[in-house]
Amino acid sequence: MSNSAMRYAILKLNDSLEFVEMPGTHMYQLTALNRRLHKEIEKLTAHNVPALPSVIAECDNLELVSTSYTVTGGLDYINKLETTFAAIKESAYPLISLLTEIRALQAQLEQWYEEYEEENV
């Protein structure tokens, strides 16, 4: 596996952009998860529902020319997302279903990175 196996998601929240590097084999899952979270987040009644950026584009290659931005690793992004959603104090919506989807992708990414590291030792 080489770096060419990576894809990049560009996420937008208001005027800010975020760049997430994902294994190409898992990018569609990140995009689908993002869409599902956006669809369901409006149903949450908790007071601490996070603002969630939208995936606005995917690409194979990314070269940032501005030092204002950094690329977040896919597993780091999913870990942060899981922590954020786990902290929501929700009573009216079955939040566990969203957390299950986040954690499923989290587990797949952990396995992918573990295999990647083993192959590149």
Side-chain angles (χ1 to χ4, degrees):
M1 269 182 244
S2 69
N3 208 21
S4 63
M6 293 298 191
R7 286 184 55 85
Y8 300 87
I10 302 167
L11 293 89
K12 185 176 190 292
L13 179 62
N14 301 321
D15 290 333
S16 71
L17 296 175
E18 188 172 2
F19 302 91
V20 177
E21 179 184 67
M22 290 284 286
T25 53
H26 294 74
M27 180 56 76
Y28 73 96
Q29 290 173 280
L30 176 65
T31 301
L33 176 64
N34 184 267
R35 286 184 181 145
R36 172 137 162 75
L37 292 176
H38 271 282
K39 184 178 165 188
E40 300 299 323
I41 203 166
E42 297 169 3
K43 299 174 184 174
L44 301 180
T45 60
H47 296 291
N48 63 333
V49 175
L52 184 66
S54 295
V55 174
I56 60 167
E58 295 177 14
C59 56
D60 289 328
N61 298 304
L62 179 69
E63 185 175 333
L64 293 176
V65 293
S66 171
T67 56
S68 305
Y69 296 102
T70 58
V71 175
T72 303
L75 185 56
D76 291 337
Y77 179 79
I78 293 297
N79 287 342
K80 184 177 78 172
L81 191 65
E82 192 277 338
T83 300
T84 301
F85 271 80
I88 297 173
K89 305 294 184 222
E90 179 62 42
S91 56
Y93 179 87
L95 186 63
I96 192 69
S97 64
L98 298 179
L99 278 168
T100 300
E101 290 185 45
I102 293 169
R103 289 171 179 155
L105 181 53
Q106 187 178 38
Q108 290 176 25
L109 286 174
E110 286 170 353
Q111 181 180 357
W112 188 92
Y113 281 106
E114 190 175 294
E115 291 172 4
Y116 179 82
E117 288 177 9
E118 287 173 7
E119 290 177 11
N120 292 285
V121 171

